[in-house]
Amino acid sequence: MPSYDYDLFVIGGGSGGVRSARVAASLGKKVAIAEEYRYGGTCVIRGCVPKKLFVYASQFHEHFEDAAGFGWTVGESSFDWKKLIAAKDIEIARLEGLYKKGLAGAQAEILETRAELVDAHTIKLLKTGETVTAKTIVIATGGKPNPHAALPGHELCISSNEAFHLEELPKSILIAGGGYIAVEFANIFHGLGVETTLIYRGTEILSRFDEDLRRGLHEAMVAKGIRILCQDVMEKVAKDENGLVIQTMKGQTLNAGVVMLALGRDPYTQGLGLEKAGVAVNERGAIVVDDYSRTNVENIYALGDVTDRVQLTPVAIHEAMCFIETEYKNNPTKPDYDLIPTAVFSQPEIGTVGLSEEEAGKRYKELEVYRAQFRPLKATLSGRAEKMIMKLIVDAASRKVVGAHILGHDAGEMAQILGITLKAGCTKDDFDRTMALHPTAAEELVTMYAPTYRIRDGQRV
Ligand SMILES: Cc1cc2nc3c(=O)[nH]c(=O)nc-3n(C[C@H](O)[C@H](O)[C@H](O)COP(=O)(O)OP(=O)(O)OC[C@H]3O[C@@H](n4cnc5c(N)ncnc54)[C@H](O)[C@@H]3O)c2cc1C
């Protein structure tokens, strides 16, 4: 048996990497983990967590406005971007510290360096130039924003990475993309008082979500004052004395202080030495893995965003836990991608689990769709025009709820709980037997007794 410096070497200190390293070390394995930037990875440093803090920050102006309807007089308010950034940075640094503490507590060796593969068992640590060996390697290097290198003037644009550290809040922003990151940032910037435009190639924002909710959110965003340009793309970005000038495919000329690209994320595999170790990637540069996150090289695993699977933090963590079961507990475990609850932290929020009406229509012969659209109680006194939408998609034959979709406040929180009910295989009758909790918005989910309409063979009847 060859001897190695480590039982496990993890490249990348993000959601998936830290979990793999910490748990393997806690099982008594000799583990090292390398991170080239900051521990916590995308989620903690420049993804989910700071984004959600920005979402909260951007909601206050509506809270102040709504307060008047409840008898409050709120004095003049103002917003300080630099204060928000400083407070966010303190919280992120605290979380980064917790990640490192967890690793250290489990006796994993924490390396602050870029690491690259030299061969299937050897890793080069770039900070010192030293090489080390490991029996097993986990690659969890995550993804990077697509820079849209083909766009003339792309170097003048920012990505979500820079959005977390802008020196000044711009007066106006143009965000390119229609995915959740683009939509969330459009709402954040608008909420902070920035004149915001979203430009997206597709016919409607947020492809793959339920169409009803996509439309509902689009309308709500436009009503707030966000400009949304669908079926158009930027063709050129240039700079003049007033800021950035953007030419679009449809011949429009737009001006913005900042242009942000949110056009998807690429797996971060460049320069990693994959070819030296013989690790195969697909045409997008994502590491190819089997059902157990194992690459084509027996002792090398890859998990999280660097593989072409579902790009979410809980998924990367789940894949890490499955790796631990497979490699160290003699219990080969495939990650389970069925019924992943997700949210879009837009304003209003989307929370969803299971199949959209369109997808369910393709899979099931007959569906019952239960749909409610209403003004939430809070919006009555505040006078806010916002509407909530709730939808349950039910397979008529088995009565199982196969999709649940919410547009409105706290939709993400509700989707997490709905995820349990769908995972447990609850039927519409289980929902009907559940007592309503009054007065809540969520009670609509258990009080929609008659189907709003049916879908038969993919057609609404
Ligand atoms: C703006 C934004 C918002 C998001 N919001 C959400 C959300 O609300 N909910 C959600 O579930 N997900 C969200 N995500 C996605 C989530 O952040 C990722 O799915 C998750 O972080 C993936 O984890 P990972 O371990 O695969 O990679 P990452 O967390 O990206 O970690 C990879 C780490 O590897 C390091 N690294 C890379 N190469 C090397 C190397 N050669 N040597 C050493 N270190 C290296 C990187 O610096 C990085 O720290 C968001 C992402 C973004 C960008």
Side-chain angles (χ1 to χ4, degrees):
M1 278 279 279
S3 78
Y4 300 105
D5 298 325
Y6 299 100
D7 296 317
L8 173 67
F9 194 99
V10 178
I11 307 181
S15 310
V18 167
R19 181 59 67 94
S20 310
R22 182 169 61 72
V23 179
S26 72
L27 294 173
K29 304 293 166 193
K30 189 166 186 232
V31 178
I33 177 167
E35 166 56 50
E36 69 174 6
Y37 180 54
R38 291 180 67 183
Y39 275 90
T42 303
C43 175
V44 173
I45 308 298
R46 43 196 181 186
C48 334
V49 176
K51 171 199 76 188
K52 191 80 187 280
L53 295 173
F54 279 14
V55 171
Y56 287 131
S58 68
Q59 289 170 337
F60 279 95
H61 84 109
E62 287 197 354
H63 295 334
F64 298 148
E65 282 170 21
D66 291 355
F70 294 88
W72 287 90
T73 303
V74 179
E76 203 174 307
S77 63
S78 63
F79 171 69
D80 186 333
W81 170 253
K82 286 198 162 77
K83 260 193 184 163
L84 171 66
I85 298 287
K88 179 264 296 178
D89 286 344
I90 290 171
E91 176 57 13
I92 298 312
R94 187 184 73 85
L95 292 173
E96 184 185 5
L98 287 181
Y99 269 69
K100 286 200 206 167
K101 200 170 158 193
L103 285 165
Q107 312 294 327
E109 191 175 333
I110 302 170
L111 305 168
E112 315 249 3
T113 174
R114 179 172 169 81
E116 292 174 1
L117 294 169
V118 176
D119 63 39
H121 288 283
T122 312
I123 306 107
K124 182 170 182 185
L125 310 178
L126 266 68
K127 203 174 197 173
T128 56
E130 177 194 358
T131 56
V132 296
T133 59
K135 180 166 187 276
T136 304
I137 294 172
V138 164
I139 303 172
T141 51
K144 287 208 145 180
N146 169 0
H148 196 359
L151 174 76
H154 69 94
E155 68 286 351
L156 300 169
C157 306
I158 65 162
S159 71
S160 58
N161 284 352
E162 291 75 39
F164 291 115
H165 296 284
L166 285 175
E167 283 288 315
E168 305 284 341
L169 193 61
K171 286 206 165 44
S172 58
I173 191 164
L174 175 71
I175 301 178
Y180 78 93
I181 294 177
V183 169
E184 290 174 339
F185 271 96
N187 282 279
I188 289 168
F189 281 113
H190 171 75
L192 296 177
V194 179
E195 191 189 304
T196 304
T197 306
L198 190 66
I199 185 165
Y200 175 51
R201 164 176 52 179
T203 49
E204 186 54 281
I205 54 171
L206 295 172
S207 62
R208 294 204 298 270
F209 283 82
D210 189 272
E211 242 172 68
D212 220 356
L213 273 73
R214 294 165 68 189
R215 260 196 314 272
L217 177 61
H218 184 140
E219 284 164 16
M221 286 171 65
V222 170
K224 281 178 198 283
I226 299 172
R227 184 150 65 134
I228 303 182
L229 308 171
C230 284
Q231 294 182 288
D232 202 358
V233 290
M234 298 192 299
E235 288 206 321
K236 188 177 164 196
V237 180
K239 207 172 180 170
D240 73 5
E241 63 282 4
N242 299 317
L244 299 173
V245 187
I246 303 100
Q247 304 295 338
T248 80
M249 183 188 73
K250 285 190 172 168
Q252 298 202 63
T253 302
L254 307 168
N255 297 288
V258 168
V259 175
M260 173 174 157
L261 303 177
L263 301 166
R265 293 177 59 81
D266 301 328
Y268 184 24
T269 47
Q270 301 91 321
L272 201 52
L274 295 176
E275 57 301 327
K276 294 183 194 154
V279 176
V281 295
N282 70 11
E283 62 295 343
R284 290 192 60 240
I287 297 179
V288 179
V289 289
D290 69 9
D291 286 349
Y292 300 91
S293 303
R294 197 190 289 269
T295 70
N296 61 315
V297 179
E298 181 74 12
N299 68 303
I300 303 183
Y301 289 79
L303 45 89
D305 285 6
V306 76
T307 63
D308 234 351
R309 297 182 284 184
V310 182
Q311 299 186 346
L312 290 171
T313 287
V315 174
I317 292 173
H318 174 62
E319 287 167 355
M321 295 308 286
C322 292
F323 153 73
I324 295 286
E325 289 294 319
T326 303
E327 183 69 13
Y328 296 122
K329 295 194 173 175
N330 199 22
N331 175 30
T333 304
K334 297 180 187 177
D336 175 4
Y337 300 100
D338 195 29
L339 295 169
I340 299 171
T342 52
V344 180
F345 295 102
S346 45
Q347 299 168 42
E349 209 165 284
I350 284 182
T352 185
V353 58
L355 301 175
S356 65
E357 184 183 319
E358 299 74 43
E359 283 173 301
K362 289 181 201 147
R363 283 205 213 172
Y364 295 96
K365 173 125 188 88
E366 183 165 339
L367 299 173
E368 291 174 358
V369 178
Y370 296 79
R371 183 184 190 278
Q373 181 166 0
F374 57 96
R375 194 178 191 191
L377 187 57
K378 194 178 168 206
T380 54
L381 294 197
S382 69
R384 195 162 288 288
E386 215 158 283
K387 292 270 192 313
M388 281 194 92
I389 299 178
M390 294 199 178
K391 266 176 98 170
L392 293 178
I393 317 289
V394 177
D395 168 31
S398 67
R399 306 282 298 142
K400 261 195 185 174
V401 179
V402 295
H405 310 282
I406 299 167
L407 175 73
H409 60 84
D410 295 333
E413 304 288 340
M414 286 185 248
Q416 177 66 87
I417 311 297
L418 282 166
I420 303 170
T421 64
L422 266 71
K423 202 76 187 160
C426 286
T427 63
K428 180 63 173 61
D429 308 312
D430 295 318
F431 277 64
D432 292 346
R433 286 191 295 115
T434 303
M435 191 67 76
L437 196 164
H438 185 71
T440 59
E443 70 183 304
E444 287 293 329
L445 291 166
V446 296
T447 53
M448 297 188 281
Y449 298 115
T452 314
Y453 52 92
R454 287 169 187 274
I455 306 279
R456 203 168 289 141
D457 297 319
Q459 299 297 320
R460 186 167 166 162
V461 289

